[in-house]
């Protein structure tokens, strides 16, 4: 029987992934953990433990006590917060991963660890970025993600650990807000549109970035973890793609439903990070190897976000 531990369960991905895992594997079989207090959304849906992802001993004790079989390690500092505190970004992102990989060997665990489009840098081809290409990240976050991918590959190929990963694009969701990322504007814009009828984008109007609605990201995560080992042919992290749009394009899609919505642009230091990332991603390997396909295009994502956020903000 699967017994799952989600580390970093109160973040943007963690909340929705925990709920999806609980639905699939049973509430009691999915332990949510975070250094923060329990998310209101998770309360009452299953077990929750306060856990610092850098506390190796507490993590090891929890894994042993609960006979954990699978870990989803989501705790991390993202691109913008990572630039504000590069030492913590390296310490948390690499320290937590390394200890979970070691624990994975010790306890024969299966592990999911997310990578990101942030592995790519300004020297990477920006359109339809291939799975295998030049990878020279410029942010500390991107560096930890690329180093993490190499570490996962090492543990998989040299030590036989079942660790799986995808490169998430910017993720768009309404249940839990993102924090500290360069792609966060694509969530903030909905709050601006609904609360004030306007939004100032910190990225310029024609900055294209790869994005994905959260339901697709959760579906991809469950799928890569469920397929048989033989289907996983890439031991680093799979490129994953769904939608690509600019601030101007998402604003136009929102205007179709909120005609008075006004967008303005005031690019800040996050622009340089966005400019170093791909505009669109080639994820044909994920599609061919384990049957990944996305469901949400721009208009379906915008409709779903506006409908759910209207309710939430009532
Ligand atoms: C960020 O913007 O830092 C993240 C990411 C693309 O990994 N959302």
């Amino acid at each position: 029987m699967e017994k799952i531990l989600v580390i970093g369960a109160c973040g943007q991905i963690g909340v929705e992934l925990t709920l999806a895992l609980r639905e699939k594997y049973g509430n009691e079989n999915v332990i949510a953990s975070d250094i923060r207090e329990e998310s209101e959304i998770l309360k009452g849906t299953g077990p929750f433990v306060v856990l610092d992802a850098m506390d190796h001993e507490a993590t090891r004790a929890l894994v042993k006590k609960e006979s954990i079989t699978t870990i989803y390690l989501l705790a991390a500092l993202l691109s913008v917060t990572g630039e504000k505190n590069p030492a913590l970004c390296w310490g948390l992102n690499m320290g937590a991963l390394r200890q979970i990989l070691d624990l994975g060997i010790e306890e024969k665990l299966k592990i999911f660890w997310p990578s990101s489009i942030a592995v790519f840098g300004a020297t990477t081809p920006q359109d339809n970025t291939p799975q295998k290409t030049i990878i020279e990240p410029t942010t500390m976050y991107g560096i930890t993600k690329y180093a993490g991918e190499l570490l996962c590959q090492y543990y998989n190929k040299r030590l036989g650990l079942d660790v799986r990963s995808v490169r998430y694009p910017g993720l768009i969701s309404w249940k839990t807000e993102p924090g500290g990322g360069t792609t966060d504007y694509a969530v903030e814009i909905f709050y601006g549109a609904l609360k004030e009828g306007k939004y100032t984008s910190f990225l310029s109007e024609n900055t294209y970035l790869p994005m994905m609605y959260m339901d697709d990201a959760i579906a991809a995560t469950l799928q890569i973890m469920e397929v048989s080992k033989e289907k996983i042919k890439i031991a680093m992290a799979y490129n994953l793609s769904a939608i690509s749009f600019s601030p101007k394009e998402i604003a136009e899609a929102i205007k179709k439903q909120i005609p008075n919505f006004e967008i303005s642009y005031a690019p800040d230091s996050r622009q340089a990070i966005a400019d170093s990332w791909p505009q669109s991603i080639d994820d044909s390997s994920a599609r061919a190897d384990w049957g990944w396909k996305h469901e949400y295009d721009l208009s379906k994502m915008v409709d779903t976000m506006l409908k759910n956020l209207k309710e939430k903000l009532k």
Side-chain angles (χ1 to χ4, degrees):
M1 195 193 46
E2 289 246 33
K3 193 81 192 278
I4 296 169
L5 173 63
V6 182
I7 301 177
C10 296
Q12 190 199 12
I13 305 171
V15 166
E16 299 205 35
L17 184 61
T18 300
L19 294 175
L21 289 167
R22 284 184 172 160
E23 200 174 319
K24 206 166 181 63
Y25 297 100
N27 290 354
E28 293 312 308
N29 296 322
V30 181
I31 300 176
S33 74
D34 206 296
I35 196 167
R36 293 170 272 191
E37 65 178 41
E38 188 174 12
S39 148
E40 287 301 320
I41 301 173
L42 290 182
K43 276 188 184 156
T45 68
F48 177 79
V49 175
V50 174
L51 180 72
D52 177 352
M54 299 227 268
D55 187 338
H56 300 201
E57 281 322 308
T59 308
R60 174 176 281 109
L62 181 64
V63 165
K64 282 181 179 287
K65 178 171 157 259
E66 298 291 344
S67 305
I68 296 296
T69 60
T70 305
I71 293 183
Y72 291 76
L73 172 59
L74 306 174
L77 242 57
L78 301 189
S79 56
V80 177
T81 29
E83 288 314 283
K84 288 186 184 137
N85 195 341
L88 179 62
C89 183
W90 177 267
L92 170 62
N93 295 9
M94 298 310 295
L97 175 61
R98 183 74 203 275
Q99 68 136 346
I100 293 301
L101 295 176
D102 284 337
L103 204 51
I105 297 291
E106 215 179 291
E107 299 293 318
K108 298 189 174 40
L109 307 173
K110 187 171 174 181
I111 290 160
F112 176 82
W113 173 81
S115 185
S116 159
I117 55 159
V119 293
F120 301 117
T123 50
T124 302
Q126 284 196 313
D127 292 320
N128 219 18
T129 301
Q131 175 70 42
K132 268 190 188 294
T133 183
I134 300 164
I135 297 192
E136 293 179 327
T138 47
T139 61
M140 184 54 87
Y141 172 61
I143 291 168
T144 65
K145 287 298 176 188
Y146 191 41
E149 286 191 12
L150 290 165
L151 208 54
C152 288
Q153 176 171 254
Y154 179 86
Y155 274 72
N156 175 266
K157 289 210 183 298
R158 292 289 298 268
L159 306 169
L161 183 68
D162 190 355
V163 50
R164 304 178 184 196
S165 184
V166 293
R167 292 173 181 151
Y168 287 131
L171 299 181
I172 299 163
S173 63
W174 58 270
K175 284 192 185 143
T176 305
E177 287 176 59
T182 305
T183 57
D184 293 6
Y185 93 85
V187 176
E188 287 173 8
I189 195 169
F190 289 99
Y191 285 87
L194 288 169
K195 284 181 169 168
E196 296 167 51
K198 60 179 188 205
Y199 177 68
T200 302
S201 169
F202 58 76
L203 298 183
S204 64
E205 59 185 323
N206 291 319
T207 308
Y208 281 83
L209 285 171
M211 301 276 185
M212 180 179 286
Y213 185 59
M214 185 59 84
D215 284 18
D216 277 335
I218 300 298
T221 309
L222 297 182
Q223 202 181 344
I224 194 175
M225 286 299 275
E226 275 162 15
V227 294
S228 61
K229 253 190 196 170
E230 300 68 51
K231 294 206 164 161
I232 306 295
K233 301 203 166 71
I234 293 171
M236 299 275 285
Y238 276 90
N239 274 8
L240 215 55
S241 160
I243 338 170
S244 177
F245 56 79
S246 63
K248 190 173 166 199
E249 280 183 3
I250 190 175
E252 273 159 13
I254 292 173
K255 263 190 209 166
K256 284 190 186 144
Q257 294 200 39
I258 308 177
N260 294 333
F261 173 59
E262 279 173 27
I263 180 138
S264 52
Y265 304 93
D268 63 18
S269 59
R270 290 170 277 194
Q271 184 68 44
I273 300 178
D275 287 343
S276 77
W277 287 354
Q279 301 193 341
S280 60
I281 298 281
D282 173 2
D283 63 352
S284 48
S285 295
R287 290 176 192 258
D289 291 358
W290 43 275
W292 151 249
K293 58 179 191 303
H294 70 282
E295 219 189 283
Y296 284 78
D297 59 15
L298 179 59
S299 74
K300 187 170 176 188
M301 180 275 284
V302 168
D303 289 353
T304 312
M305 283 295 287
L306 288 174
K307 187 168 144 264
N308 286 293
L309 271 182
K310 256 182 219 157
E311 277 300 307
K312 185 179 165 183
L313 298 174
K314 255 184 193 166

